[in-house]
């Protein structure tokens, strides 16, 4: 009987101490976000991202990434980071598609500009245009790609190498800065 009384007292003390510990934590969400921002830590982490955007019931954008880190707690420059790569597929109403992929990406929330780097490949399947580079910036507001890095751009008839490239998001209109290669000229 004495042993069971001691066990009950010990259990009661453990319950009281646990309750005190739980209710003594007073960090609010803002304090936690500020702490994580000060330590340069993400506020969230998502694994195996498979995000689908729909328009009128039709999937028009699909984004896949092994991991996404959410740094939206940054006051001046909130961003999302994709340290193990990203692949975005844009699907037009007529079925044409464009893919954008790279081994690393960062997307800034306030400016809607994304930086994609390491083995970047952008391909418009309908136009048969393909861009390969090590780094590209994508302005999603103006639907425009640009880079000052080396690149290789493939069209139906040409392979263009150079440094510095700008293009519309669909790769139909493009500007090459410093180029080399054989290019067919239409008269």
């Amino acid at each position: 009987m004495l042993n069971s009384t001691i066990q009950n007292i010990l259990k009661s003390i453990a319950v009281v101490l646990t309750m005190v510990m739980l209710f003594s934590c007073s960090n609010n969400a803002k304090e936690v976000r500020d702490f994580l921002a000060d330590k340069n830590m993400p506020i969230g982490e998502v694994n195996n991202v498979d995000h689908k955007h729909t328009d009128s019931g039709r999937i028009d954008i699909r984004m896949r990434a092994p991991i996404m880190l959410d740094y939206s707690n940054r006051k001046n420059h909130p961003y999302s980071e994709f340290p193990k790569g990203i692949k975005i597929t844009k699907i037009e109403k007529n079925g044409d598609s464009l893919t954008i992929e790279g081994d690393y990406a960062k997307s800034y929330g306030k400016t809607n500009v994304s930086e994609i780097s390491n083995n970047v490949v952008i391909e418009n399947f309908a136009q048969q245009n393909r861009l390969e580079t090590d780094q590209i910036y994508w302005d999603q507001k103006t639907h425009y790609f640009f880079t000052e890095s080396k690149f290789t751009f493939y069209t139906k008839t040409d392979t263009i190498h150079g440094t510095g490239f700008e293009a519309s998001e669909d790769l139909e209109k493009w500007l090459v800065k410093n180029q080399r290669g054989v290019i067919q000229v239409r008269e």
Side-chain angles (χ1 to χ4, degrees), residues 39-177:
K39 300 295 181 194
N40 198 31
M41 297 173 67
I43 197 166
E45 179 178 321
V46 181
N47 292 305
N48 300 317
V49 177
D50 190 359
H51 175 74
K52 297 171 188 150
H53 181 271
T54 59
D55 181 15
S56 302
R58 182 186 64 79
I59 296 174
D60 61 348
I61 299 174
R62 183 173 188 179
M63 179 189 73
R64 294 184 194 175
I67 188 168
M68 180 183 96
L69 303 175
D70 179 8
Y71 290 92
S72 62
N73 56 338
R74 301 298 182 271
K75 186 182 276 185
N76 295 327
H77 302 289
Y79 64 92
S80 296
E81 182 179 25
F82 303 86
K84 293 187 178 181
I86 191 169
K87 181 174 183 178
I88 300 167
T89 304
K90 295 185 71 172
I91 304 164
E92 300 296 327
K93 288 182 181 178
N94 64 6
D96 292 343
S97 66
L98 173 85
T99 59
I100 306 159
E101 57 187 306
D103 293 343
Y104 176 86
K106 218 181 234 190
S107 182
Y108 294 92
K110 285 186 178 180
T111 61
N112 280 339
V113 173
S114 295
E115 174 190 2
I116 306 167
S117 57
N118 304 332
N119 300 311
V120 178
V121 177
I122 303 170
E123 192 161 6
N124 180 324
F125 294 96
Q127 296 292 320
Q128 297 178 14
N129 292 343
R130 178 182 172 101
L131 174 68
E132 297 175 357
T133 185
D134 283 331
Q135 181 183 41
I136 196 132
Y137 293 93
W138 177 22
D139 187 332
Q140 295 164 42
K141 284 182 184 175
T142 61
H143 306 282
Y144 203 72
F145 292 112
F146 57 95
T147 185
E148 294 301 322
S149 297
K150 291 182 180 180
F151 70 88
T152 303
F153 185 58
Y154 302 94
T155 68
K156 289 179 187 178
T157 56
D158 305 314
T159 300
I160 305 165
H161 304 277
T163 304
F165 184 86
E166 297 178 20
S168 59
E169 191 174 78
D170 57 9
L171 296 181
E172 287 185 33
K173 297 176 184 170
W174 42 275
L175 171 69
V176 175
K177 295 182 180 177

Side-chain angles (χ1 to χ4, degrees), residues 25-44 70 73-74:
C25 295
S26 64
N27 288 344
N28 64 27
K30 184 183 180 327
E31 288 174 344
V32 171
R33 281 194 303 273
D34 291 346
F35 172 80
L36 293 173
D38 289 344
K39 300 295 181 194
N40 198 31
M41 297 173 67
I43 197 166
D70 179 8
N73 56 338
R74 301 298 182 271

